[in-house]
Amino acid sequence: GKLHMSTNAAFPPYEMVADGEGFEGTGYEGIDVEIAYAIAQKLGLELVVDDMDFTAALEAAQSGKSDMVMAGVTVNEDRLAVMDFSESYATGVQVVIVTEDSPITTLDDIEGKLIGTQKGTTGFTYASDTPENGGYGEDAVIGFDNGLSAVQALKNGQVDCVIIDNAPAQTFVAENPGLKILDTEWVTEDYAIGVAKGNTALLDAINGALDELIADGTVQSIIDTYITAE
Ligand code: GLN
């Protein structure tokens, strides 16, 4: 009777710990939480949000400890090898956060600088890749437990920039004066719901519900509630 969603509720505006009861009493709020709730309703299940580290949230779905991971999860080949994904419901763009007075104004300026990312994310993977593959090398990258810790390290001068998804970047910059996002967009990605590999019954059920929620405009209206069009 329950649909367990594993997530890392430190990724605004996709998932955040709520001050009070949260969305529909889940204790959490955000785009993923509301979409997950709508899917659970369609399937006649009660949504339970399980908050943990990002990597643990992926692993929970892979091992079946949770039914699905929704955490602004980017679909990529590495993950497709170990889990199955629903159709995509949103896109993300990797961006670079710097201090307002930063000497970094383009992606090229990042060479020789220290980059903060969140552990286990695509931002970490791209940034730590070899220069031949468009990265800056492992030694240039520090992986923090979550995006906010990376942003705090930037404010403290421990790193020179933070590479992270656009939506949380906007939130962190709005909440922390003295920071800005570089104009250069890096990589565009698709977000989807991850489930254990081979669990086609669950994946079909999720995709069926998600299809309807996309078709009737529910998904877009949830996204529009949290992300104002520029
Ligand atoms: N979209 C990124 C990824 O999937 C970051 C997700 C997150 O930090 N919650 O790796």
Side-chain angles (χ1 to χ4, degrees):
K2 290 183 175 159
L3 183 68
H4 281 267
M5 158 189 169
S6 52
T7 194
N8 173 239
F11 193 73
Y14 281 87
E15 38 268 328
M16 303 84 86
V17 177
D19 276 340
E21 282 190 1
F23 183 71
E24 297 287 347
T26 54
Y28 298 89
E29 56 195 8
I31 294 168
D32 285 341
V33 176
E34 292 202 22
I35 294 175
Y37 184 86
I39 291 171
Q41 279 230 305
K42 283 210 181 273
L43 301 180
L45 301 170
E46 183 197 336
L47 177 70
V48 180
V49 179
D50 299 328
D51 185 20
M52 57 193 86
D53 283 352
F54 180 66
T55 308
L58 290 172
E59 284 167 0
Q62 280 166 42
S63 68
K65 242 192 260 170
S66 72
D67 298 303
M68 62 180 190
V69 54
M70 281 186 87
V73 178
T74 301
V75 182
N76 67 18
E77 278 180 28
D78 288 351
R79 291 175 185 163
L80 279 167
V82 293
M83 61 200 304
D84 289 339
F85 282 99
S86 71
E87 64 185 293
S88 176
Y89 61 89
T91 54
V93 181
Q94 294 295 316
V95 297
V96 183
I97 308 176
V98 293
T99 53
E100 256 159 16
D101 58 358
S102 175
I104 299 174
T105 58
T106 69
L107 292 179
D108 289 339
D109 297 334
I110 297 175
E111 265 178 58
K113 300 279 197 293
L114 209 47
I115 306 162
T117 63
Q118 179 181 354
K119 264 189 242 162
T121 63
T122 50
F124 177 89
T125 307
Y126 300 133
S128 55
D129 209 336
T130 59
E132 298 78 62
N133 289 334
Y136 300 92
E138 271 177 25
D139 293 346
V141 186
I142 300 181
F144 292 88
D145 282 342
N146 58 54
L148 186 58
S149 311
V151 167
Q152 268 149 4
L154 174 63
K155 286 171 70 180
N156 298 338
Q158 287 168 265
V159 296
D160 301 300
C161 65
V162 169
I163 294 178
I164 192 166
D165 303 44
N166 181 56
Q170 302 277 359
T171 310
F172 293 141
V173 167
E175 289 171 357
N176 293 277
L179 302 181
K180 65 178 183 188
I181 297 171
L182 288 190
D183 277 338
T184 355
E185 293 187 345
W186 204 7
V187 192
T188 304
E189 313 180 308
D190 288 322
Y191 291 168
I193 302 168
V195 303
K197 209 164 180 50
N199 194 344
T200 16
L202 177 62
L203 189 61
D204 288 351
I206 289 172
N207 270 329
L210 188 56
D211 271 339
E212 290 174 19
L213 294 166
I214 291 172
D216 73 6
T218 304
V219 166
Q220 192 56 52
S221 81
I222 291 171
I223 292 173
D224 292 345
T225 311
Y226 287 94
I227 300 179
T228 327
E230 271 132 79

